[in-house]
Amino acid sequence: MVFSCGNRRKIHEPLADSGRTQRTEVLNDNLKALGDSSVYMFGHHDAPVYGIGWEADYDNDSTVHQRSDIHSVCNDFPAVFSFDLGHIELGDERNLDGVPFNRIRQEIIAHFDRGGFITLSWHLNNPLSGGTAWVADSLLDTETHTVEAVLKGGQCHEMFLEWLDRVADFLNSLETPYGIRVPVLFRPWHEHTGSWFWWGKDHCTAEQYKALWELTVKRLKKRGVINALYAYSPNGLDKETKDILMERYPGDDIIDLIGYDYYCNAEEGDTTAVAQYAAHLDKGLSIICEAAREHHKAVALTETGFECIKTPEWWTQTLAPVLAKHLISYVLVWRNAHNRQNHFFAPYPGHTSSSDFIRFYNDPRTLFLKDVNALYLAK
């Protein structure tokens, strides 16, 4: 436990000069400090709610934070849990992957109580077309106008404010029984340097994208959100430069962490493609880490992975050697879908990469839940 709960009396949380809770600012400082060290936290999206061949019993509170594929492999939980808020904007009880928001809230509080760190993405629907976050070829003209439509004066502006208010309500509900607001890293509008989401580079101008960020953070603050850090997270491209990756950076007054999303896309046995991933990841992290230093921000590999992990020693022979060259606070791999065949990014018992992942786990540079217990305490 990070904090002593005592008799569960409500705690009055002091606020920092920023208007956020002091624990949120301490978390920010400690994420920066991790980026100045040689260690980094490991994270997994949706880790405690489902995995290969299983799904949590959402009606049974006693199963909260009791299982994950990572834990089944190495007897430890990831230090970082990631969840998605997609469909909260619609007022749904479950997110876009079928996980109840109430269960996500329970898992977040439990992970915080055990010393873990939480990050949230938001694959929200398209408020103009009514479609998903992903761009449909038949709606390209609509997608190109969506960001414009949600900004002030746009036809979807008022509805979008309601959507942001639902996010704020959820963030404000992340409170322990003893009155502590759980600090989280909120990571909307990610991978904007591509164009597969309606907020991507081909669907809005740089100024519109920055205005989208400003609107988001201002609205959440207006609604009383005092426990959120914010992450800017471009995706890897074939020929990215710092100018390309940072062109749409919303500003130091908005962003707390600069991240990078980049996946390994290779067929089984294609060692050349795996090597190209490593080289490209190395280059991209060099750019992102340099930008983070210049802006005095925390830095992370906010999404990565190799679907199906087709190279058994990918963890220690591909990923770890690149990460050893860069100072980051955490690395996060995507989910292990229980209801979609061959869509997993972390090992599970019996998978060919499990033994290599245990070696990755035992690397002194990797931090899992048992290794972190003071993320929210001032040094």
Side-chain angles (χ1 to χ4, degrees):
M1 301 278 281
V2 177
F3 306 106
S4 175
C5 300
N7 61 3
R8 297 285 183 180
R9 291 179 300 174
K10 291 285 185 178
I11 296 174
H12 175 70
E13 285 201 272
L15 299 182
D17 292 340
S18 64
R20 298 189 289 208
T21 68
Q22 286 190 2
R23 282 181 179 82
T24 304
E25 293 300 342
V26 167
L27 173 62
N28 192 25
D29 290 341
N30 288 336
L31 289 174
K32 292 178 187 177
L34 276 172
D36 290 330
S37 70
S38 60
V39 298
Y40 52 88
M41 297 183 291
F42 178 81
H44 187 201
H45 185 72
D46 277 352
V49 290
Y50 55 73
I52 302 303
W54 66 275
E55 184 178 15
D57 181 356
Y58 298 134
D59 296 323
N60 185 351
D61 291 351
S62 68
T63 65
V64 170
H65 199 42
Q66 293 299 311
R67 185 173 182 180
S68 82
D69 283 348
I70 293 293
H71 189 276
S72 296
V73 168
C74 63
N75 197 34
D76 198 355
F77 286 99
V80 184
F81 280 179
S82 167
F83 301 100
D84 197 89
L85 300 184
H87 289 188
I88 202 166
E89 71 278 1
L90 306 178
D92 290 357
E93 292 185 358
R94 292 174 178 253
N95 77 354
L96 76 170
D97 293 313
V99 184
F101 287 109
N102 184 57
R103 182 54 174 252
I104 293 174
R105 180 187 299 106
Q106 290 175 301
E107 294 287 357
I108 287 172
I109 293 171
H111 195 55
F112 167 77
D113 257 347
R114 290 168 172 84
F117 168 55
I118 302 96
T119 177
L120 301 171
S121 54
W122 188 22
H123 290 87
L124 71 164
N125 275 17
N126 186 312
L128 187 59
S129 71
T132 70
W134 287 266
V135 171
D137 290 340
S138 61
L139 296 172
L140 281 177
D141 184 62
T142 300
E143 311 291 352
T144 303
H145 294 92
T146 301
V147 172
E148 179 183 5
V150 303
L151 297 177
K152 188 174 181 179
Q155 66 189 89
C156 297
H157 180 66
E158 294 302 322
M159 180 176 70
F160 185 64
L161 292 181
E162 293 179 4
W163 287 14
L164 289 172
D165 290 349
R166 287 171 179 156
V167 172
D169 289 344
F170 181 82
L171 295 177
N172 287 333
S173 76
L174 301 177
E175 183 175 302
T176 69
Y178 46 97
I180 298 296
R181 289 275 191 97
V182 177
V184 297
L185 179 71
F186 187 38
R187 196 173 64 93
W189 320 132
H190 68 306
E191 298 179 8
H192 60 281
T193 38
S195 297
W196 43 87
F197 296 129
W198 58 257
W199 55 86
K201 68 178 180 64
D202 289 342
H203 311 305
C204 61
T205 67
E207 292 310 310
Q208 287 172 336
Y209 178 81
K210 293 176 184 180
L212 176 64
W213 259 109
E214 183 177 7
L215 171 62
T216 300
V217 174
K218 280 188 174 181
R219 186 67 178 188
L220 295 182
K221 288 182 177 179
K222 182 177 181 179
R223 295 286 295 184
V225 174
I226 56 176
N227 55 324
L229 302 173
Y230 299 96
Y232 171 82
S233 189
N235 56 282
L237 304 165
D238 290 338
K239 296 179 180 180
E240 75 262 26
T241 64
K242 187 164 64 174
D243 288 343
I244 291 174
L245 293 179
M246 297 299 292
E247 176 192 13
R248 301 187 172 210
Y249 182 67
D252 290 342
D253 57 332
I254 292 176
I255 298 300
D256 301 289
L257 180 143
I258 298 177
Y260 186 61
D261 288 12
Y262 187 62
Y263 284 85
C264 181
N265 296 306
E267 298 300 323
E268 187 169 359
D270 190 348
T271 56
T272 299
V274 173
Q276 289 174 341
Y277 159 80
H280 193 81
L281 179 63
D282 183 24
K283 176 186 175 183
L285 282 178
S286 295
I287 295 170
I288 288 295
C289 288
E290 180 183 353
R293 286 193 299 271
E294 290 178 355
H295 290 270
H296 306 288
K297 301 297 178 181
V299 62
L301 180 52
T302 41
E303 278 188 46
T304 194
F306 187 7
E307 190 174 39
C308 297
I309 321 166
K310 300 162 190 169
T311 302
E313 295 185 339
W314 184 78
W315 301 102
T316 63
Q317 300 303 308
T318 301
L319 182 63
V322 176
L323 299 186
K325 299 164 64 175
H326 304 282
L327 301 178
I328 61 173
S329 58
Y330 74 89
V331 54
L332 183 129
V333 299
W334 207 238
R335 68 194 188 113
N336 281 13
H338 67 96
N339 56 356
R340 179 177 166 186
Q341 190 174 10
N342 296 325
H343 186 62
F344 62 89
F345 296 85
Y348 56 88
H351 187 263
T352 55
S353 77
S354 292
S355 58
D356 187 59
F357 187 83
I358 292 174
R359 288 190 288 271
F360 177 77
Y361 171 78
N362 288 324
D363 186 326
R365 292 169 295 194
T366 61
L367 303 178
F368 286 71
L369 185 57
K370 290 179 182 178
D371 304 311
V372 296
N373 57 10
L375 285 172
Y376 309 95
L377 301 180
K379 297 293 190 257

